[in-house]
Amino acid sequence: MNSFNSILKSRVQERNSWLCVGLDMSPESLGSDKFDDLKSHTFRVIDSTKDYAVAYKPNFAFFERWGARGFSWLEETVEYIGDNHIKIADAKRGDIGNTAKQYAYSIFEHFGFDCVTINPYMGCDSVDPFLENKEKGVFLLAKTSNPSASTIQDIKENGIPIYERVVQMAKDLNHNNNIGLVVGATAPKDLKNIRSIAPRMPILIPGVGVQGGDLNTCMKIGNNNGISLINISRSISFTGDMSPKSIKDASSNFLAQMHEAMNK
């Protein structure tokens, strides 16, 4: 049985891609609050990016807001993505062990995701249930890309910021080689620090594009002694006139930039 991290590494190498397409299906960005329009656009994005992406990351919030039919849409989306791409559940779960066990079953067994984002604020027992199957993975939020992230993540205890404690916790829990980290593109110095602390551990990097993170910098740091996935959401899904051609061109362009960064 291969570990999630080894599966991810092989998939990145096979597809020669680090592109993760975030599926944040916002009615405001699409310019339509019609459920069927959002659903159709989701499949349009997948069809237009499948030759360039190595992973997809559906954001649960944009599905959950629609209630029962939103969950059905999420099920269809996972099935539509299929098994040729890594499927990341952007659910940011984080609760006590017994509850976390139910979340893990839901995400891995019911929906069929390969990995999930986890908020580690409640400690290791909120993470453990997601690690039992070594073929399934976890990305722990370490240093995020939102403006107020430093309010908690940069607090220091004995000179060590909390985000570094999270990185160390991830290393300590990584017995099955199925843990990665979420590190925002808007914090390149912290990304460099985290990569030095956690060599070979996969890093999921959001914040490139609309949020202003630099793609070239993230590629160089994130893939130095390890692999990274660069998540692009709005800059692909809602680019230009949102036609298949615009979406395809955007994803192709981002992947070309990644290759250029790796070849410098």
Side-chain angles (χ1 to χ4, degrees), residues 21-230:
V21 176
L23 300 175
D24 300 9
M25 290 296 123
S26 165
E28 294 77 16
S29 296
L30 185 61
S32 173
D33 60 1
K34 295 180 179 178
F35 179 80
D36 287 342
D37 289 347
L38 287 160
K39 188 174 177 180
S40 296
H41 191 66
T42 304
F43 301 144
R44 183 181 305 120
V45 170
I46 295 168
D47 285 338
S48 302
T49 58
K50 62 184 179 182
D51 291 336
Y52 308 99
V54 68
Y56 289 95
K57 184 171 70 66
N59 187 321
F60 273 42
F62 294 91
F63 296 86
E64 288 178 354
R65 64 167 284 174
W66 295 96
R69 56 180 175 163
F71 279 101
S72 295
W73 169 26
L74 181 57
E75 290 168 347
E76 291 179 54
T77 298
V78 173
E79 184 177 357
Y80 199 82
I81 293 169
D83 296 328
N84 292 326
H85 297 80
I86 298 293
K87 299 181 288 292
I88 304 172
D90 191 5
K92 299 181 179 70
R93 298 301 190 221
D95 211 325
I96 61 172
N98 187 50
T99 306
K101 187 174 182 179
Q102 304 307 314
Y103 279 141
Y105 188 92
S106 168
I107 288 168
F108 295 146
E109 302 301 326
H110 176 75
F111 286 105
F113 281 95
D114 300 303
C115 57
V116 60
T117 56
I118 297 291
N119 185 334
Y121 190 79
M122 294 182 71
C124 61
D125 59 323
S126 67
V127 182
D128 284 335
F130 295 92
L131 302 175
E132 293 177 1
N133 182 346
K134 67 183 297 183
E135 292 182 302
K136 301 293 185 179
V138 162
F139 281 101
L140 288 187
L141 304 183
K143 184 66 173 159
T144 55
S145 57
N146 55 303
S148 63
S150 60
T151 304
I152 292 178
Q153 294 166 13
D154 287 352
I155 294 174
K156 292 184 178 180
E157 179 189 14
N158 297 325
I160 301 174
I162 285 178
Y163 80 80
E164 284 191 27
R165 301 274 185 185
V166 172
V167 175
Q168 187 57 54
M169 183 175 79
K171 292 176 67 177
D172 292 343
L173 291 174
N174 197 26
H175 307 297
N176 285 332
N177 192 35
N178 60 345
I179 294 184
L181 299 163
V182 178
V183 183
T186 52
K189 291 182 180 179
D190 298 324
L191 174 61
K192 187 174 183 179
N193 182 38
I194 290 170
R195 175 47 86 208
S196 69
I197 298 170
R200 297 178 298 280
M201 187 170 283
I203 300 179
L204 174 62
I205 307 177
V208 170
V210 173
Q211 294 184 57
D214 183 72
L215 177 61
N216 185 66
T217 299
C218 291
M219 283 294 297
K220 286 185 175 180
I221 298 173
N223 292 286
N224 179 27
N225 201 11
I227 62 168
S228 67
L229 296 178
I230 307 296

